Amino acid sequence: MKKSGTTSSSVAVAVEGQKRGKWGYIWPLWATLLLHLVAILLFTAGFLLTRTELPYHSHCSDVSSSPCFSSDNGSCWTKPAVNRLVLIVLDALRFDFVVPSAFFAESKPWMDKLPVLKNAASTRPLSARIFKAIADPPTTSLQRLKGLTTGGLPTFVDVGNSFGAPAIVEDNFINQLVQNGKKVVMMGDDTWTQLFPHHFERSYPYPSFNVKDLHTVDNGCIDHLLPSLYEEDWDVLIAHFLGVDHAGHIFGVDSTPMIEKLEQYNTILERVIEVLENQSGPGSSHENTLLVVMGDHGQTLNGDHGGGSAEEVETALFAMSFKKPLSSVPAEYDSCSCQQDLDGKNVCFSSMQQLDFAVTISALLGVPFPYGSIGYINPELYALGADSWNSNASQKLSESDVWMHNYANALCINSWQVKRYVDAYSASSAVGFSRDDLSRIANIYAAAENHWSQSTKKLLLDRQNDSNTSVSALKKQIEAYFKFLTAVTELARSKWTEFDLNMMGVGIGIMLISLIFQVFTILRTTKEHDGTFSSYGDSWIGNASILTIFLLGIRAFSFLSNSYILEEGKVANFLLSTSGIVTLRQSVNMGKLFIESIGFLILSTFCRFAIEVGLSKQAATSAFMKDYSSWIINIASGLPVWDYAAEVVPILVLIMLAAWLYKATSGCFFDWPWKFVILGTILSYMLIIAHWITDSNRFDGALIPQSIGRTYIPRIIYAIALGQLFFLTFGQLFKKSDLDCKTNLVAKTTSMLSAWSSTVILLSGKQGPIVAFASMVGGCFIMKFVNIEGGKDGPQRSFSIMQWSLFATCLFFCSGHWCAFDGLRYGAAFIGFEEFVLVRQAILLTIDTFGFSIILPVFGLPFLVAIKFQANLGRHFVFTQLSQIYTTYGLITAITTTFTILCVTIQRRHLMVWGLFAPKFVFDVFNLILTDALICLASIYYFDEGRDDPELKSPVR
């Protein structure tokens, strides 16, 4: 009776399936891909704002093409105002660390701890100034240093020539110094040497990753800073202190270590100012030196930074000149706000944008402005060098007029340079400014340039003109340039730094709709074929479904924590082991698959060790993981036996995989094209071995020239893989299968996996065969566990799919990857190629990164259907199962990605949003889209018209 009932239900499935047809099962998968694409594009447009890095650099001769005056003393764009610069960066320097507490409604313990800066600004208000410097988010140190030196607005995704390189490749202030003969000395935070690896005359870098270390970097700066002030072999000296930043991260702003650090800095700065003053006399080494003390960003009370809150973006900048100052800055360009401190002294501070720092300092030192700078020369900071020009000025002009003449010409060069950049950016970038925006700022610039050509230029040529008309015309010209530069800055900020919350919200909404659509698709398919599944109401099925939801929930919610994201591989492995223990319990209860369950747990344990090794590699390159070193990587270091085994074992495993594939071809159902595909894979495996032997120093590779082994063999393997995929496509289109559904499905799945495997293994290096073997063994275990779910004839349930997904995630981390850009193995993209071609290298890098975790698991999913397929079930039952299994797998991926999207939305102002959450977002959304796309392609490949059993056809008639 049971068999008869099953057959009747199967007939009903066949009849219903014939009504729906093949595309009735496929279209929901494509609709899901479309929904996900729209959701992610909208969310990304609001969150990951992008900018294209241009490879152009400014040169001294460029200014000749501008309408402005170039320097007439043999220097570059502007007349230099200072000869030497001492730049002291106090990382995470809050504004209220510097200005008196009287400026705030409530006094805090950390205020008034840097009195040396306040006193200097009070006693020498024209030669020493305090600025509230406003930074642009992201307020992470690396991005801020990039912004300070390039004069641009760095975003999370800067598209350019730096293929995996942390060094700044676009034009910057440090590069201009070196190119124009200036010598730069650096000490402190080693981020500078990462960004500028070959620019410093001398450098004393100290590691910056250990936030628990408050003193190493600072003590290194102290050891070298004061002695360097007495030396003559530099023009720019940079000292980057980190103690305040680290104290904030560990203890918070309101803490004793923070106060102690500020007091230490005050003592250091007192000594620096004393040395500079003592050597500032005529003919002394610091006669014309500018001291700048600044923060790269602020910090919250908890010590966090990275976002755009006032505490994070407001930092301080103190500048001091040791020459006779300008008597006064014209009131129109003086933004100072003054108040008395606790001692009754009058203290003033002004405001400026950090965006203006690079171009202002470049103008003061007389070097070309960075090509991509969009800031404008700050008048108050620029005025600190005004005394340098007085000796060359006409006696009929006051020093204020001389300053204004120089400032107007400097702004002319500034505006011309910014207009040049905007034009070049819009012509070169796929994400340039709109036509309306370009037209608007072009009109503003044209008006300013017209005024310059018609009147201002003539006034500057006539140095004897000292009338009020001249001053009025200069002010009008300066205002015109201000208007243009402000318009460009506002436009750039709107494109590159502001989150579009409305667009992000719409993206999240569409993502939630897609989840509902996927759930509805699964429920609809299950309901339509409920008659087939009703006899398998085993309690284990319900428990397994609950456990699946539980494991998925833990995994999804873990993405809301930065700690769990850092340990994502371990979390996935823990959940995989948990599912293995549950399977072991069920296998004991059912009295079968006990050995397989034990083997699965052992495999999970080995994955745990492999993930630990991957984390040790991450520790060597990632600032977030350097505190978590691994002992596993050092187990066999220096042992010759281990080194030899590392060469031989991958070859032996690859030979074993080839032998298994050859044995599979002995099956009579592996005819054309599947047999030729598998034979092609075996040939590729042998070529991979030849490639490794050629590269190895332990084997004699004289029989194969290195040019062939390293270049042409990989290309042959790629060509074979493309040919295999072509054969499978050709067979899909033109070969009518005479096999039954199950045999056809097994043959097609095996052939597809073998076609991809050679390229994936080649790109993965010598770990490839071992990971491939582990993935094959793990997949076989999970396939067998399907029989635990609902008995021998039971329907495919979600628990095994969840195990499949967790195992795929573990393989991602086992193969040495992690969700950060420094976790990409860029070398894999150049296996077989020397030159860089973006599309080709991107494809190879994608295959290497996601081969074991996405490509092979997605195309291997039909095995979970084939293992359940029985002779009395037709092809439309297979369609139903494939549709359910792919929709469920896609749903699991979509849910985890949705939580990642929610995480970056919630944490968009978090300290590590750009360093941790945003890279995780990029990897997860790429994972989702790639998974959806491969599922759609697999649906076309696997959903074909296999042959039904005769007993199913007869009742239909």
Side-chain angles (χ1 to χ4, degrees):
M1 291 295 294
K2 181 178 181 180
K3 181 176 181 180
S4 175
T6 302
T7 303
S8 300
S9 300
S10 301
V11 172
V13 170
V15 173
E16 178 63 29
Q18 289 174 352
K19 293 179 180 178
R20 292 182 62 187
K22 169 183 174 180
W23 292 99
Y25 295 96
I26 292 178
W27 76 264
L29 303 176
W30 288 85
T32 300
L33 172 61
L34 180 61
L35 285 173
H36 287 164
L37 280 173
V38 173
I40 288 172
L41 286 175
L42 290 174
F43 184 87
T44 303
F47 176 64
L48 287 186
L49 306 172
T50 59
R51 181 176 65 92
T52 301
E53 291 182 349
L54 300 185
Y56 311 124
H57 292 74
S58 298
H59 302 281
C60 284
S61 58
D62 295 347
V63 75
S64 61
S65 61
S66 75
C68 319
F69 296 106
S70 59
S71 179
D72 55 3
N73 62 349
S75 58
C76 229
W77 288 11
T78 58
K79 186 180 299 184
V82 297
N83 296 331
R84 307 181 86 185
L85 171 68
V86 177
L87 176 61
I88 299 178
V89 180
L90 305 180
D91 206 290
L93 182 71
R94 286 169 58 104
F95 179 62
D96 58 4
F97 288 167
V98 176
V99 295
S101 57
F103 280 87
F104 303 94
E106 183 180 357
S107 178
K108 298 293 184 181
W110 60 82
M111 296 178 181
D112 301 316
K113 302 304 178 185
L114 290 173
V116 60
L117 303 182
K118 175 201 66 174
N119 293 337
S122 175
T123 56
R124 304 173 62 173
L126 296 178
S127 59
R129 282 183 173 264
I130 295 175
F131 295 85
K132 177 191 286 186
I134 311 299
D136 291 286
T139 48
T140 52
S141 293
L142 186 145
Q143 298 283 14
R144 281 293 83 232
L145 292 182
K146 189 171 185 178
L148 283 169
T149 55
T150 63
L153 295 172
T155 57
F156 176 71
V157 180
D158 289 337
V159 184
N161 298 325
S162 54
F163 192 69
I168 296 179
V169 295
E170 62 180 333
D171 199 9
N172 57 80
F173 165 58
I174 303 297
N175 177 72
Q176 287 298 332
L177 290 172
V178 175
Q179 293 301 316
N180 289 277
K182 305 289 185 181
K183 296 180 180 179
V184 185
V185 173
M186 191 284 304
M187 57 202 67
D189 186 351
D190 62 354
T191 304
W192 286 88
T193 56
Q194 297 173 27
L195 295 176
F196 310 101
H198 308 294
H199 292 72
F200 300 119
E201 185 76 12
R202 287 184 288 114
S203 62
Y204 307 97
Y206 296 89
S208 58
F209 60 83
N210 187 1
V211 296
K212 297 180 181 179
D213 185 355
L214 307 185
H215 307 295
T216 298
V217 176
D218 290 356
N219 291 341
C221 287
I222 295 170
D223 291 341
H224 297 286
L225 174 57
L226 292 174
S228 296
L229 294 178
Y230 294 96
E231 297 174 354
E232 303 284 345
D233 63 341
W234 56 267
D235 298 290
V236 175
L237 186 151
I238 301 171
H240 191 140
F241 291 77
L242 277 177
V244 162
D245 180 63
H246 289 184
H249 285 312
I250 301 302
F251 303 104
V253 171
D254 190 5
S255 64
T256 300
M258 177 65 76
I259 295 173
E260 291 174 349
K261 268 293 159 189
L262 293 173
E263 292 174 343
Q264 180 190 27
Y265 287 175
N266 188 71
T267 302
I268 296 167
L269 293 173
E270 282 180 341
R271 296 171 63 186
V272 169
I273 292 176
E274 181 182 357
V275 171
L276 294 177
E277 282 186 326
N278 291 339
Q279 299 188 31
S280 62
S284 299
S285 58
H286 295 298
E287 177 187 4
N288 195 14
T289 296
L290 178 69
L291 170 66
V292 175
V293 180
M294 65 182 300
D296 53 348
H297 51 76
Q299 58 178 305
T300 66
L301 294 180
N302 294 327
D304 293 338
H305 56 90
S309 68
E311 292 176 305
E312 295 167 275
V313 300
E314 291 180 1
T315 184
L317 185 148
F318 169 84
M320 184 175 183
S321 173
F322 295 91
K323 293 195 71 174
K324 177 187 174 183
L326 184 68
S327 59
S328 64
V329 177
E332 294 88 345
Y333 314 119
D334 194 342
S335 62
C336 67
S337 173
C338 303
Q339 196 163 331
Q340 288 187 343
D341 64 4
L342 298 179
D343 299 326
K345 297 179 180 179
N346 194 51
V347 181
C348 302
F349 76 88
S350 302
S351 296
M352 68 174 291
Q353 299 290 326
Q354 269 195 2
L355 190 67
D356 305 332
F357 176 79
V359 66
T360 306
I361 296 298
S362 296
L364 285 169
L365 287 170
V367 298
F369 308 159
Y371 190 93
S373 171
I374 59 172
Y376 70 83
I377 300 172
N378 181 272
E380 295 163 280
L381 184 56
Y382 189 66
L384 293 180
D387 182 64
S388 302
W389 305 316
N390 289 340
S391 59
N392 298 325
S394 169
Q395 294 182 355
K396 288 183 174 293
L397 295 176
S398 68
E399 61 177 10
S400 178
D401 289 343
V402 172
W403 175 86
M404 193 169 264
H405 278 69
N406 282 281
Y407 185 59
N409 185 65
L411 275 185
C412 176
I413 299 175
N414 189 182
S415 300
W416 164 81
Q417 166 261 322
V418 170
K419 181 62 166 56
R420 179 182 66 166
Y421 169 70
V422 170
D423 291 342
Y425 182 85
S426 298
S428 305
S429 173
V431 287
F433 304 117
S434 68
R435 183 176 300 178
D436 291 341
D437 290 332
L438 288 174
S439 177
R440 178 172 58 86
I441 61 176
N443 291 336
I444 298 175
Y445 179 75
E449 186 179 19
N450 182 65
H451 185 273
W452 172 270
S453 302
Q454 297 297 324
S455 61
T456 308
K457 195 169 187 177
K458 297 177 182 179
L459 290 173
L460 294 182
L461 287 172
D462 184 8
R463 289 285 185 174
Q464 301 301 317
N465 191 334
D466 60 348
S467 64
N468 293 332
T469 304
S470 173
V471 174
S472 176
L474 287 175
K475 289 182 178 179
K476 185 176 180 181
Q477 182 67 63
I478 291 171
E479 290 300 321
Y481 283 137
F482 275 173
K483 183 178 180 181
F484 166 72
L485 293 168
T486 302
V488 173
T489 302
E490 291 176 350
L491 175 61
R493 283 199 175 98
S494 68
K495 298 292 184 183
W496 295 334
T497 64
E498 294 181 5
F499 294 119
D500 190 333
L501 296 180
N502 292 330
M503 194 166 289
M504 292 169 66
V506 172
I508 293 174
I510 296 177
M511 198 71 195
L512 295 176
I513 291 174
S514 74
L515 298 182
I516 296 173
F517 176 76
Q518 288 175 286
V519 172
F520 173 77
T521 301
I522 296 172
L523 294 177
R524 185 190 64 170
T525 307
T526 303
K527 184 177 180 180
E528 288 179 355
H529 306 288
D530 188 58
T532 307
F533 303 152
S534 59
S535 59
Y536 307 110
D538 190 290
S539 61
W540 159 248
I541 296 176
N543 293 335
S545 298
I546 295 173
L547 183 59
T548 301
I549 296 173
F550 178 71
L551 293 177
L552 179 59
I554 292 178
R555 176 160 166 70
F557 278 102
S558 69
F559 291 156
L560 300 179
S561 165
N562 61 309
S563 299
Y564 280 110
I565 289 178
L566 285 172
E567 305 288 348
E568 182 184 358
K570 295 180 181 179
V571 173
N573 182 259
F574 172 79
L575 297 177
L576 181 67
S577 300
T578 302
S579 71
I581 293 173
V582 173
T583 302
L584 175 63
R585 178 180 178 275
Q586 184 66 12
S587 68
V588 171
N589 292 338
M590 299 185 66
K592 61 179 181 180
L593 299 178
F594 178 77
I595 300 299
E596 288 81 354
S597 300
I598 295 295
F600 186 74
L601 287 175
I602 294 174
L603 178 63
S604 178
T605 302
F606 278 111
C607 286
R608 176 68 173 81
F609 283 105
I611 291 171
E612 190 71 36
V613 172
L615 289 179
S616 69
K617 295 177 182 178
Q618 184 176 355
T621 57
S622 172
F624 296 107
M625 291 303 297
K626 287 185 178 180
D627 284 339
Y628 306 95
S629 60
S630 171
W631 52 270
I632 299 175
I633 197 66
N634 298 318
I635 289 178
S637 60
L639 295 180
V641 175
W642 175 260
D643 295 336
Y644 188 76
E647 299 277 358
V648 175
V649 170
I651 295 176
L652 295 178
V653 174
L654 196 57
I655 293 173
M656 183 172 61
L657 291 174
W660 180 85
L661 280 176
Y662 180 78
K663 184 178 180 181
T665 61
S666 61
C668 60
F669 58 86
F670 277 98
D671 59 355
W672 184 91
W674 303 313
K675 188 169 186 176
F676 293 102
V677 169
I678 291 178
L679 291 176
T681 300
I682 295 174
L683 174 61
S684 294
Y685 287 176
M686 298 303 105
L687 290 174
I688 291 173
I689 293 175
H691 170 68
W692 288 343
I693 291 176
T694 304
D695 265 353
S696 175
N697 296 324
R698 297 182 179 276
F699 300 101
D700 185 7
L703 297 177
I704 305 177
Q706 285 193 348
S707 60
I708 296 177
R710 293 183 178 180
T711 303
Y712 292 103
I713 287 181
R715 295 183 184 183
I716 294 172
I717 295 171
Y718 301 147
I720 292 174
L722 288 174
Q724 290 171 308
L725 294 176
F726 171 78
F727 272 118
L728 292 176
T729 304
F730 186 83
Q732 176 80 1
L733 294 175
F734 299 103
K735 179 178 174 59
K736 183 68 174 179
S737 177
D738 295 327
L739 303 175
D740 63 83
C741 292
K742 177 178 181 179
T743 305
N744 186 51
L745 191 60
V746 170
K748 295 183 71 172
T749 306
T750 304
S751 301
M752 179 59 72
L753 292 178
S754 68
W756 280 101
S757 64
S758 57
T759 303
V760 173
I761 290 174
L762 172 66
L763 297 177
S764 298
K766 294 183 179 178
Q767 66 175 347
I770 300 173
V771 179
F773 179 77
S775 64
M776 185 183 70
V777 172
C780 290
F781 284 152
I782 296 174
M783 287 163 52
K784 291 187 177 183
F785 296 157
V786 171
N787 288 324
I788 295 179
E789 297 193 50
K792 182 178 179 180
D793 300 324
Q796 174 58 41
R797 295 293 177 179
S798 58
F799 187 71
S800 294
I801 306 176
M802 186 68 202
Q803 282 185 313
W804 196 276
S805 175
L806 288 171
F807 186 54
T809 302
C810 289
L811 290 177
F812 175 81
F813 293 96
C814 287
S815 54
H817 297 95
W818 57 90
C819 294
F821 296 124
D822 57 358
L824 296 172
R825 288 200 299 265
Y826 295 101
F830 292 92
I831 294 179
F833 302 98
E834 296 293 336
E835 66 280 0
F836 173 76
V837 178
L838 179 61
V839 175
R840 180 182 64 203
Q841 262 60 53
I843 292 173
L844 294 179
L845 188 63
T846 299
I847 295 174
D848 171 66
T849 305
F850 299 105
F852 285 115
S853 60
I854 298 179
I855 298 175
L856 297 182
V858 167
F859 284 112
L861 273 171
F863 278 134
L864 297 183
V865 175
I867 199 70
K868 301 289 292 184
F869 188 82
Q870 302 300 316
N872 61 340
L873 300 176
R875 64 177 179 271
H876 294 291
F877 179 86
V878 174
F879 288 179
T880 302
Q881 292 290 281
L882 284 173
S883 176
Q884 284 189 326
I885 200 171
Y886 273 125
T887 305
T888 303
Y889 191 84
L891 177 63
I892 291 172
T893 306
I895 289 175
T896 56
T897 304
T898 301
F899 271 81
T900 300
I901 292 174
L902 292 173
C903 173
V904 297
T905 303
I906 297 170
Q907 308 284 12
R908 65 186 183 277
R909 300 300 184 188
H910 189 274
L911 158 69
M912 290 190 289
V913 63
W914 303 112
L916 178 63
F917 295 117
K920 171 63 176 168
F921 165 78
V922 171
F923 273 79
D924 276 13
V925 297
F926 190 87
N927 185 340
L928 176 63
I929 296 301
L930 182 60
T931 299
D932 285 343
L934 292 178
I935 285 175
C936 291
L937 295 177
S939 68
I940 296 177
Y941 177 69
Y942 290 123
F943 285 61
D944 68 341
E945 300 297 327
R947 177 173 57 84
D948 271 342
D949 296 322
E951 66 175 288
L952 285 175
K953 293 181 178 179
S954 54
V956 174
R957 291 193 297 267

